């Protein structure tokens, strides 16, 4: 029986026999196991000592109790102690599980590479949209051309939405803005105008 290990049996001429059992907290009560076999538990005086079982079925119960995988995630635990997850789940769950599952007795390795966060596709699309935004400026100016203002506003709206999503997921987003100037004019002026455009 997973989670139970009989270590000693003292026979007696009359019941009860004394039985010493190591029992994992997630194992079935010995009396229930005996009843399931059609044996009267009253025939035995059972003493249990707590222990941690590495039986795969007990490890799976322990993982399920500790991590509580969402219904959208499938879990497989193999004989080598590798815990593999597949399916969809929030990124916060994926990151926490990758760390927390390693601390569970019986788990040697954790593989969450098969779990994806549906929000990541939206985030990836939003990042691409922002990264592909180019705002042009008139020669020598740090104010965008009027025709480019809607594009800039759309990028800002996307950034605000992206920041809100990543905050809800427990992450942060960082942004680097590059300002450029053409080669006309001296180097110092070009540097100043490119910095000013980035600030804008």
């Amino acid at each position: 029986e997973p989670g139970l290990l009989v270590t000693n049996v003292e026979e007696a001429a009359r019941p009860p026999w004394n039985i010493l059992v190591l029992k994992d907290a997630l194992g079935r009560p010995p009396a229930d196991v005996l009843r399931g076999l059609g044996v009267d538990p009253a025939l035995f005086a059972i003493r249990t000592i707590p222990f941690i079982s590495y039986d795969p079925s007990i490890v799976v119960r322990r993982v399920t109790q500790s991590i509580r995988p969402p219904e959208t995630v499938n879990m497989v635990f193999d004989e080598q102690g590798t815990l593999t997850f597949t399916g969809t789940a929030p990124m916060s769950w994926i990151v926490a599980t990758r760390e927390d599952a390693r601390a569970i007795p019986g788990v040697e390795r954790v593989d969450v590479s098969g779990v994806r966060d549906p929000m990541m596709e939206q985030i990836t699309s939003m990042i691409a949209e922002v990264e592909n935004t180019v705002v042009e400026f008139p020669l020598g100016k740090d104010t965008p051309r009027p025709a480019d203002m809607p594009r800039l506003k759309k990028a800002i709206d996307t950034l605000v939405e992206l920041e809100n999503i990543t905050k809800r997921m427990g992450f942060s987003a960082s942004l680097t803005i590059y300002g450029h100037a053409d080669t006309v004019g001296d180097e110092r002026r070009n540097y100043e105008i490119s910095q000013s455009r980035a600030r804008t």
Side-chain angles (χ1 to χ4, degrees):
E1 174 69 25
L4 298 180
L5 182 62
V6 177
T7 60
N8 191 49
V9 177
E10 292 179 9
E11 298 183 21
R14 288 179 300 183
W17 286 13
N18 291 318
I19 299 181
L20 183 63
V21 179
L22 299 181
K23 181 184 179 301
D24 188 287
L26 296 173
R28 290 171 60 203
D32 290 356
V33 175
L34 291 170
R35 285 190 201 93
L37 297 170
V39 178
D40 183 0
L43 297 172
F44 306 95
I46 302 170
R47 187 164 70 94
T48 60
I49 297 175
F51 92 121
I52 295 175
S53 172
Y54 280 37
D55 182 280
S57 65
I58 295 294
V59 175
V60 168
R61 286 183 217 170
R62 192 175 293 129
V63 168
T64 303
Q65 187 180 69
S66 300
I67 293 178
R68 301 187 187 281
E71 292 180 5
T72 54
V73 171
N74 297 314
M75 178 177 69
V76 175
F77 182 69
D78 66 24
E79 297 291 335
Q80 287 72 46
T82 301
L83 191 58
T84 304
F85 295 97
T86 57
T88 59
M91 184 58 69
S92 56
W93 183 89
I94 296 170
V95 171
T97 297
R98 187 170 47 220
E99 300 304 316
D100 297 346
R102 288 192 185 114
I104 297 173
V107 176
E108 297 294 324
R109 287 165 299 285
V110 180
D111 180 4
V112 292
S113 61
V115 185
R116 64 176 187 82
D117 183 345
M119 288 299 296
M120 288 307 295
E121 292 173 12
Q122 181 183 354
I123 288 172
T124 301
S125 172
M126 293 168 75
I127 289 172
E129 181 183 323
V130 170
E131 288 181 342
N132 291 326
T133 300
V134 175
V135 178
E136 294 187 359
F137 295 79
L139 187 64
K141 304 290 184 186
D142 61 5
T143 303
R145 296 184 322 174
D148 281 8
M149 290 306 289
R151 190 180 310 149
L152 179 58
K153 183 182 183 314
K154 188 171 188 310
I156 292 168
D157 291 344
T158 302
L159 281 168
V160 170
E161 186 181 355
L162 182 60
E163 184 180 31
N164 290 335
I165 290 172
T166 54
K167 274 185 182 173
R168 284 196 304 271
M169 294 172 71
F171 297 98
S172 61
S174 62
L175 172 70
T176 303
I177 299 174
Y178 296 95
H180 298 280
D182 59 29
T183 55
V184 176
D186 64 65
E187 190 175 329
R188 180 187 174 103
R189 175 61 182 149
N190 286 342
Y191 175 79
E192 288 173 352
I193 195 76
S194 64
Q195 292 297 302
S196 183
R197 287 173 175 178
R199 282 191 295 272
T200 298

